[in-house]
Structures are given as C-alpha cells and as structure tokens.
Amino acid sequence: MQSQDSFTQITLHYINGETESFDIPVTPEAFGEQLADFLSQPWLTLHLFDQTVLILTAQIVKVEVTPQLTQLEGDGVFFDCQRVTALSRGAKV
C-alpha cells in the first residue's frame, strides 16, 4: 500500500457548478511537474478501481490541489496568500 505522501488530491470545478475530487497516485512534486501537460490535454482519463472516468478539460474552470504545490514559480504565482471569503453563488429568490 502506498503512503499518503505519494498521493495528490485534486478537486475539479466545472463550468456547470459541479465539483468532484480524486486522489491521484503521484507525489505532489511529480504532479506539479506534469500540471501544464495535464491541463493542456483535451481529455483526462482517470482509471478508478471500478470504472474509468473521462473528463473534458474545456469544462474545467478551477483545479484545487492538496497538498500545495510550492515548487510552482514564475509569473502569476503568488505565495503566502489567504482566502478571505468562500466562493459563493447568488441564490434565486
């Protein structure tokens, strides 16, 4: 059995407002190195223990990664940030 350190959790947020999370069996460091390629693919294929999930990347608007990918650097990368408010949607009245 692999240790928890060898998994990276991703949460995908879709255009339609739905979200789902997956544990990927790679270290956060390895996932960070593959992130640009991961997001440039038209389709992602995730093999689960009981099924295969295909995800159209054009439908993804946000990706959350746990634990954080501190090795990412460059333009548009900010450190020591804090979330001030939770993301919310307007309710229909």
Side-chain angles (χ1 to χ4, degrees):
M1 187 165 150
Q2 293 181 319
S3 73
Q4 190 62 26
D5 293 341
S6 62
F7 279 83
T8 302
Q9 183 183 82
I10 61 169
T11 301
L12 305 174
H13 297 260
Y14 301 104
I15 290 173
N16 66 2
E18 295 179 344
T19 63
E20 61 184 337
S21 296
F22 299 93
D23 279 336
I24 308 279
V26 297
T27 64
E29 295 78 19
F31 183 78
E33 292 172 5
Q34 299 173 19
L35 185 59
D37 187 49
F38 171 83
L39 294 174
S40 70
Q41 300 300 314
W43 287 91
L44 301 176
T45 303
L46 304 175
H47 295 292
L48 309 181
F49 76 95
D50 62 342
Q51 62 182 222
T52 297
V53 178
L54 298 151
I55 299 168
L56 181 62
T57 57
Q59 297 296 310
I60 299 172
V61 293
K62 181 169 108 174
V63 178
E64 295 179 13
V65 181
T66 304
Q68 63 181 324
L69 303 176
T70 56
Q71 76 272 21
L72 296 180
E73 296 178 348
D75 293 339
V77 178
F78 303 94
F79 289 91
D80 299 323
C81 299
Q82 295 180 11
R83 191 180 305 243
V84 178
T85 60
L87 184 64
S88 61
R89 287 185 238 143
K92 294 182 180 181
V93 180

mmCIF file of all heavy atoms in Angstrom, residues 28-29 32 67-73 77 79:
data_model
loop_
_atom_site.group_PDB
_atom_site.id
_atom_site.type_symbol
_atom_site.label_atom_id
_atom_site.label_comp_id
_atom_site.label_asym_id
_atom_site.label_seq_id
_atom_site.Cartn_x
_atom_site.Cartn_y
_atom_site.Cartn_z
ATOM 1 N N PRO A 28 2.962 15.045 -4.861
ATOM 2 C CA PRO A 28 2.659 16.422 -5.255
ATOM 3 C C PRO A 28 3.751 17.019 -6.147
ATOM 4 O O PRO A 28 3.448 17.762 -7.084
ATOM 5 C CB PRO A 28 2.561 17.159 -3.918
ATOM 6 C CG PRO A 28 2.197 16.103 -2.933
ATOM 7 C CD PRO A 28 2.877 14.854 -3.421
ATOM 8 N N GLU A 29 5.002 16.690 -5.879
ATOM 9 C CA GLU A 29 6.107 17.203 -6.698
ATOM 10 C C GLU A 29 5.989 16.720 -8.146
ATOM 11 O O GLU A 29 6.137 17.500 -9.089
ATOM 12 C CB GLU A 29 7.457 16.792 -6.108
ATOM 13 C CG GLU A 29 7.754 17.396 -4.753
ATOM 14 C CD GLU A 29 7.029 16.694 -3.595
ATOM 15 O OE1 GLU A 29 6.580 15.546 -3.746
ATOM 16 O OE2 GLU A 29 6.890 17.337 -2.532
ATOM 17 N N GLY A 32 3.026 18.418 -9.827
ATOM 18 C CA GLY A 32 3.355 19.790 -10.181
ATOM 19 C C GLY A 32 4.147 19.876 -11.476
ATOM 20 O O GLY A 32 3.936 20.780 -12.294
ATOM 21 N N PRO A 67 -1.676 18.229 -1.265
ATOM 22 C CA PRO A 67 -1.139 19.420 -0.613
ATOM 23 C C PRO A 67 -0.687 20.445 -1.649
ATOM 24 O O PRO A 67 -0.637 20.153 -2.850
ATOM 25 C CB PRO A 67 0.054 18.888 0.182
ATOM 26 C CG PRO A 67 0.480 17.663 -0.544
ATOM 27 C CD PRO A 67 -0.771 17.088 -1.157
ATOM 28 N N GLN A 68 -0.351 21.631 -1.177
ATOM 29 C CA GLN A 68 0.016 22.708 -2.097
ATOM 30 C C GLN A 68 1.260 22.380 -2.914
ATOM 31 O O GLN A 68 2.101 21.592 -2.495
ATOM 32 C CB GLN A 68 0.220 24.008 -1.325
ATOM 33 C CG GLN A 68 1.355 23.977 -0.335
ATOM 34 C CD GLN A 68 1.477 25.296 0.404
ATOM 35 O OE1 GLN A 68 1.248 26.350 -0.181
ATOM 36 N NE2 GLN A 68 1.830 25.239 1.675
ATOM 37 N N LEU A 69 1.347 22.994 -4.077
ATOM 38 C CA LEU A 69 2.465 22.762 -4.995
ATOM 39 C C LEU A 69 3.438 23.934 -4.876
ATOM 40 O O LEU A 69 3.465 24.838 -5.702
ATOM 41 C CB LEU A 69 1.959 22.636 -6.434
ATOM 42 C CG LEU A 69 0.914 21.552 -6.685
ATOM 43 C CD1 LEU A 69 0.422 21.594 -8.122
ATOM 44 C CD2 LEU A 69 1.491 20.186 -6.348
ATOM 45 N N THR A 70 4.261 23.914 -3.853
ATOM 46 C CA THR A 70 5.164 25.032 -3.571
ATOM 47 C C THR A 70 6.272 25.179 -4.602
ATOM 48 O O THR A 70 6.908 26.226 -4.670
ATOM 49 C CB THR A 70 5.789 24.892 -2.170
ATOM 50 O OG1 THR A 70 6.442 23.623 -2.086
ATOM 51 C CG2 THR A 70 4.738 24.997 -1.089
ATOM 52 N N GLN A 71 6.510 24.145 -5.428
ATOM 53 C CA GLN A 71 7.579 24.231 -6.410
ATOM 54 C C GLN A 71 7.184 25.041 -7.643
ATOM 55 O O GLN A 71 8.030 25.371 -8.464
ATOM 56 C CB GLN A 71 8.077 22.842 -6.817
ATOM 57 C CG GLN A 71 7.168 22.095 -7.772
ATOM 58 C CD GLN A 71 6.090 21.280 -7.093
ATOM 59 O OE1 GLN A 71 5.727 21.516 -5.951
ATOM 60 N NE2 GLN A 71 5.539 20.311 -7.793
ATOM 61 N N LEU A 72 5.895 25.395 -7.786
ATOM 62 C CA LEU A 72 5.480 26.210 -8.921
ATOM 63 C C LEU A 72 5.953 27.638 -8.700
ATOM 64 O O LEU A 72 5.728 28.229 -7.635
ATOM 65 C CB LEU A 72 3.955 26.194 -9.076
ATOM 66 C CG LEU A 72 3.316 24.851 -9.396
ATOM 67 C CD1 LEU A 72 1.810 24.998 -9.509
ATOM 68 C CD2 LEU A 72 3.892 24.270 -10.673
ATOM 69 N N GLU A 73 6.607 28.208 -9.701
ATOM 70 C CA GLU A 73 7.132 29.562 -9.612
ATOM 71 C C GLU A 73 6.938 30.260 -10.945
ATOM 72 O O GLU A 73 6.698 29.616 -11.956
ATOM 73 C CB GLU A 73 8.627 29.539 -9.264
ATOM 74 C CG GLU A 73 8.949 28.956 -7.923
ATOM 75 C CD GLU A 73 10.452 28.917 -7.639
ATOM 76 O OE1 GLU A 73 11.243 29.130 -8.578
ATOM 77 O OE2 GLU A 73 10.808 28.666 -6.486
ATOM 78 N N VAL A 77 2.239 33.444 -10.155
ATOM 79 C CA VAL A 77 2.290 32.558 -8.994
ATOM 80 C C VAL A 77 2.569 33.425 -7.768
ATOM 81 O O VAL A 77 3.549 34.164 -7.737
ATOM 82 C CB VAL A 77 3.375 31.473 -9.144
ATOM 83 C CG1 VAL A 77 3.434 30.603 -7.891
ATOM 84 C CG2 VAL A 77 3.111 30.621 -10.375
ATOM 85 N N PHE A 79 2.761 33.632 -3.421
ATOM 86 C CA PHE A 79 2.968 32.844 -2.206
ATOM 87 C C PHE A 79 2.350 33.548 -1.001
ATOM 88 O O PHE A 79 2.122 34.751 -1.020
ATOM 89 C CB PHE A 79 4.467 32.603 -1.968
ATOM 90 C CG PHE A 79 5.063 31.656 -2.957
ATOM 91 C CD1 PHE A 79 5.629 32.112 -4.140
ATOM 92 C CD2 PHE A 79 5.032 30.289 -2.736
ATOM 93 C CE1 PHE A 79 6.164 31.240 -5.069
ATOM 94 C CE2 PHE A 79 5.562 29.405 -3.658
ATOM 95 C CZ PHE A 79 6.130 29.885 -4.829
#
